[in-house]
Amino acid sequence: MLKPILALAAFAALPAIAQTAAPSPADPAPADWKAIPDNEMLVMTLQGGHQVFIRLAPRYAPAHVANIRKLAEAHWWDGTSVYRVQDNYVTQWGGGDDKTTLPPGVIENPPAEYEWPGFDAVRSFAFAKPDSYAAKTGLSADGWPLANYGATSALAHCYSMVGVARDLAPSTGSGAELYTVIGHAPRPLDRNIAIVGRIVEGMQWLSSLPRGTAQLGVYAKDQTPTPILSVRLASQLPADERPHFQYRATDNPRFAAWIKARENRDGAFFTVPMGGVDLCNALPAVRRAP
Amino acid sequence: MLKPILALAAFAALPAIAQTAAPSPADPAPADWKAIPDNEMLVMTLQGGHQVFIRLAPRYAPAHVANIRKLAEAHWWDGTSVYRVQDNYVTQWGGGDDKTTLPPGVIENPPAEYEWPGFDAVRSFAFAKPDSYAAKTGLSADGWPLANYGATSALAHCYSMVGVARDLAPSTGSGAELYTVIGHAPRPLDRNIAIVGRIVEGMQWLSSLPRGTAQLGVYAKDQTPTPILSVRLASQLPADERPHFQYRATDNPRFAAWIKARENRDGAFFTVPMGGVDLCNALPAVRRAP
């Protein structure tokens, strides 16, 4: 009979085996791990003490991230809730009906930071197969998933990416209401919404919540939204409470080898290697600083 | 301020608006809804009475589905559990450590029903953009997502598809342990595992379970697997307890128009229509018979 550890799962164990057994060209060098700055890490604490850690992307959405920093500094999210969980789509939290007055300095309708000229993906690798949405895809040197649409590029709506909920255009959303992707990547949202970051730890506290039963996964009156106790930048926390995360740099031959390995999964489990992988199945690792 | 119903969600409301307002070329005709046979519907009842409805795909994995029917007829799954939930990957249930002796007639190691010659997708539409894994993708006339890899085709590992957990090859898995995809489509599993169906209702009871904290999302000793009260084919149930589901046929111009609409989301929310959609974001509707 099948053992539950091995059944289906054997392939997932391979990277761990590879790392603990023989060294691989896909293993990161110690210097490939780079610190995420304290003011680029948002820490959300939910009822029960569960924590969600969001790496921010100020380079790609500066005005929205500036808003988010102001909201955190004003403790604005404290006492709001997670009020929408739509299966195979998004979990959404923040203001909504809980709280409607923004703190001073927050721009209600920032510029539409949805796409920008050029494509700053690293050149040390290119995906072997095409993307179903973009002209090409890649990763920034510091690990962000990028989709290029010809003259412009955008962050891609992969699992665990965080975006800014908005009303109909020309609304862009202030950042007071955020969401994360909890299902198959809804890439048609690329270029239609501002992405501001990625959840790098604690994703399960948002992906495993009860689904909302009202329209579009909003919690119905008989459902209890999950209270948000606090949201802080790591830089606001006392030094001994700050989390320390590192991203894996992608601009090196070791990461290019890792992509090749993702494209050609083998080992004892895979009967047929695919010869390709899509962007959202190739997000670089983020870890706690050792 | 944003209203939570509209924020981000407006686009998702558009199809409903389109259906209740003006008729669209993408609306199904009454005859496009076809009954799913009672012996192709598996009903799993979890503790608490939550039910999960799995449409089986006997045409694509006949030996595995024959096993699954025998297991249901023997009430074999009753008293087993959901014992693995790996975030952004799979929820897995069935035998495992709970139960290791198969009922008579169940083949422990069926043929590897992973891929087959040809490509029986309907020809009334073709996806506008390429796939990141397969040579081409499409849908069978009765709604199954198909990936063609040149000479052979396979069912695609989209969200909600159900596969047969297996050990290392040449094991193919008996069907006693099944899983469903709860995250971004793990398409590298295509052609490496037998897919036997798709969850058409009740997905949230498997996608929102607590994640397992042991290796690969298996439940740790201090976690409680979710008990499975029963698994039955609809054809085993008394006539008045049988669920009646219908799939939307894809071999008609109305469905081709629906795909075009998925590829070019517009309405008031989408600033930029994508001009394409991937297979796993274009699964046909299944509904309860009205």
Side-chain angles (χ1 to χ4, degrees):
Chain A
M1 264 305 290
L2 304 177
K3 296 286 177 290
I5 297 286
L6 278 176
L8 170 67
F11 68 94
L14 289 177
I17 292 168
Q19 278 168 17
T20 53
S24 152
D27 292 343
D32 294 345
W33 295 106
K34 314 280 189 189
I36 296 175
D38 290 343
N39 70 347
E40 295 184 10
M41 182 62 65
L42 205 59
V43 182
M44 174 161 69
T45 305
L46 303 174
Q47 193 172 57
H50 300 310
Q51 290 193 306
V52 177
F53 299 87
I54 304 170
R55 180 188 182 194
L56 297 172
R59 195 168 75 253
Y60 295 112
H64 285 86
V65 170
N67 269 3
I68 286 167
R69 286 173 170 153
K70 287 197 178 75
L71 288 157
E73 284 159 1
H75 298 193
W76 188 85
W77 280 294
D78 302 14
T80 64
S81 68
V82 183
Y83 59 81
R84 178 188 178 199
V85 188
Q86 185 170 357
D87 198 58
N88 189 24
Y89 198 48
V90 297
T91 291
Q92 189 167 319
W93 65 91
D97 287 341
D98 290 338
K99 213 168 186 177
T100 54
T101 308
L102 294 173
V106 174
I107 302 165
E108 187 164 337
N109 207 33
E113 297 170 323
Y114 302 165
E115 53 186 328
W116 46 85
F119 182 49
D120 71 339
V122 296
R123 297 184 181 211
S124 34
F125 75 91
F127 286 113
K129 290 194 173 167
D131 184 68
S132 294
Y133 296 96
K136 54 190 172 179
T137 53
L139 290 152
S140 70
D142 54 353
W144 294 102
L146 300 169
N148 173 262
Y149 293 93
T152 64
S153 296
L155 289 171
H157 264 84
C158 297
Y159 189 91
S160 79
M161 296 295 282
V162 175
V164 174
R166 66 165 171 86
D167 211 323
L168 301 181
S171 162
T172 60
S174 66
E177 293 174 74
L178 300 170
Y179 65 88
T180 189
V181 174
I182 61 166
H184 184 69
R187 297 281 309 283
L189 291 174
D190 293 3
R191 295 189 291 169
N192 284 294
I193 218 160
I195 290 184
V196 291
R198 175 185 165 200
I199 294 176
V200 295
E201 191 182 293
M203 186 63 200
Q204 70 275 26
W205 307 124
L206 297 177
S207 61
S208 68
L209 291 172
R211 277 44 181 155
T213 58
Q215 201 188 8
L216 304 167
V218 172
Y219 275 25
K221 283 182 182 162
D222 64 346
Q223 295 188 292
T224 308
T226 303
I228 296 173
L229 301 184
S230 70
V231 178
R232 299 286 182 277
L233 290 162
S235 53
Q236 290 176 265
L237 298 173
D240 61 352
E241 291 177 20
R242 292 183 192 178
H244 297 291
F245 284 94
Q246 299 172 325
Y247 67 85
R248 179 176 179 179
T250 66
D251 53 350
N252 57 72
R254 296 164 295 283
F255 190 81
W258 183 80
I259 291 288
K260 272 271 170 278
R262 292 290 292 176
E263 293 185 326
N264 299 284
R265 305 284 285 271
D266 53 10
F269 189 86
F270 280 80
T271 310
V272 183
M274 189 59 85
V277 70
D278 78 329
L279 175 64
C280 293
N281 270 328
L283 298 187
V286 171
R287 69 173 191 186
R288 293 268 185 169
Chain B
M1 263 307 287
L2 303 178
K3 297 285 178 293
I5 295 286
L6 278 175
L8 171 65
F11 69 94
L14 289 177
I17 290 167
Q19 278 169 15
T20 53
S24 152
D27 292 342
D32 294 346
W33 295 105
K34 314 279 190 190
I36 297 176
D38 290 344
N39 70 348
E40 293 184 11
M41 182 61 65
L42 205 59
V43 182
M44 174 160 69
T45 305
L46 303 174
Q47 194 173 57
H50 299 309
Q51 289 193 305
V52 176
F53 299 87
I54 304 169
R55 181 188 181 192
L56 297 172
R59 195 168 75 252
Y60 295 111
H64 285 85
V65 170
N67 269 4
I68 286 168
R69 286 174 169 153
K70 287 198 178 76
L71 288 157
E73 284 158 1
H75 299 192
W76 188 86
W77 279 295
D78 302 13
T80 64
S81 68
V82 183
Y83 60 79
R84 177 187 179 200
V85 187
Q86 185 171 356
D87 197 59
N88 191 22
Y89 198 48
V90 297
T91 291
Q92 188 167 321
W93 65 89
D97 286 340
D98 291 337
K99 213 167 186 177
T100 54
T101 307
L102 294 172
V106 173
I107 302 165
E108 187 162 339
N109 207 33
E113 297 169 322
Y114 302 164
E115 53 186 327
W116 46 86
F119 183 49
D120 70 339
V122 296
R123 296 184 180 211
S124 34
F125 76 89
F127 286 114
K129 291 194 172 167
D131 185 69
S132 293
Y133 295 95
K136 53 191 171 179
T137 53
L139 291 153
S140 70
D142 55 353
W144 294 102
L146 299 170
N148 173 262
Y149 293 94
T152 63
S153 296
L155 288 171
H157 264 85
C158 298
Y159 190 91
S160 78
M161 296 295 283
V162 174
V164 174
R166 66 166 172 84
D167 213 322
L168 300 181
S171 162
T172 60
S174 66
E177 293 174 75
L178 300 171
Y179 65 89
T180 189
V181 174
I182 63 165
H184 185 70
R187 297 281 309 281
L189 291 174
D190 293 2
R191 295 189 289 168
N192 283 295
I193 216 159
I195 289 184
V196 290
R198 175 185 165 201
I199 294 177
V200 294
E201 192 182 293
M203 187 63 198
Q204 71 272 26
W205 307 123
L206 297 177
S207 60
S208 69
L209 292 172
R211 278 45 183 155
T213 58
Q215 200 188 7
L216 305 169
V218 172
Y219 276 27
K221 282 185 184 161
D222 64 347
Q223 294 187 292
T224 308
T226 302
I228 296 173
L229 301 185
S230 69
V231 177
R232 299 286 183 277
L233 290 163
S235 53
Q236 289 177 266
L237 298 174
D240 60 351
E241 290 178 20
R242 291 182 193 179
H244 296 290
F245 284 94
Q246 299 172 325
Y247 66 87
R248 180 177 178 178
T250 67
D251 53 350
N252 56 72
R254 296 162 298 281
F255 190 81
W258 182 80
I259 290 289
K260 272 270 170 277
R262 293 289 293 175
E263 292 186 326
N264 298 285
R265 305 284 285 269
D266 53 11
F269 189 87
F270 280 80
T271 310
V272 182
M274 189 59 85
V277 70
D278 79 328
L279 175 66
C280 291
N281 269 327
L283 298 187
V286 171
R287 69 174 190 184
R288 293 270 184 166

